[in-house]
Amino acid sequence: MITVNLYYTGINGAARRFAEEMEASGTADAIRAEAGNLRYAYFVPMDDPETVLLIDSWENQEAIDRHHASPMMATIAALREKYDLHMRAERFIGAGDAPGDERFLRK
């Protein structure tokens, strides 16, 4: 599994409007339906309301490469431009939860 945390930052609520348009337009759902996508979810950090975090998880690099080659990338790029967003990314490779995490989770 590969997880990419993408931080979209703008001004005057632009990042949030970008995420809302991704959801309302069906683009986010289309990405979630792509082969190999495990998670595609937006969050707003409590300490930075001008940033939106996208947690984007895929089965493997091949699934990411297919996604990057899809027509949806042009849609995403146009929306990033529309909202004048800047980005940074973090990439994590792993098999999932670490052993022993269950004892810290309240269900």
Side-chain angles (χ1 to χ4, degrees):
M1 176 176 62
I2 300 170
T3 297
V4 181
N5 289 348
L6 294 168
Y7 297 86
Y8 293 97
T9 302
I11 59 171
N12 299 321
R16 188 174 190 120
R17 288 193 309 276
F18 161 80
E20 289 168 350
E21 187 166 343
M22 286 287 293
E23 292 291 346
S25 69
T27 303
D29 283 334
I31 293 167
R32 290 180 189 110
E34 287 184 86
N37 183 265
L38 302 173
R39 182 174 194 185
Y40 193 90
Y42 292 101
F43 300 90
V44 178
M46 297 295 291
D47 62 346
D48 185 1
E50 295 298 339
T51 295
V52 169
L53 165 63
L54 168 63
I55 300 177
D56 192 16
S57 296
W58 299 85
E59 288 178 354
N60 52 42
Q61 185 61 49
E62 292 78 17
I64 294 172
D65 292 343
R66 283 191 306 273
H67 168 63
H68 286 163
S70 76
M72 277 180 274
M73 290 308 295
T75 300
I76 296 167
L79 285 176
R80 285 191 311 238
E81 191 69 26
K82 174 182 176 179
Y83 292 103
D84 191 25
L85 300 179
H86 299 275
M87 298 169 59
R88 67 182 172 88
E90 301 168 332
R91 184 179 177 103
F92 304 93
I93 299 173
D97 295 333
D101 284 350
E102 282 292 319
R103 66 187 172 135
F104 298 105
L105 301 178
R106 183 172 186 225
K107 295 185 179 190

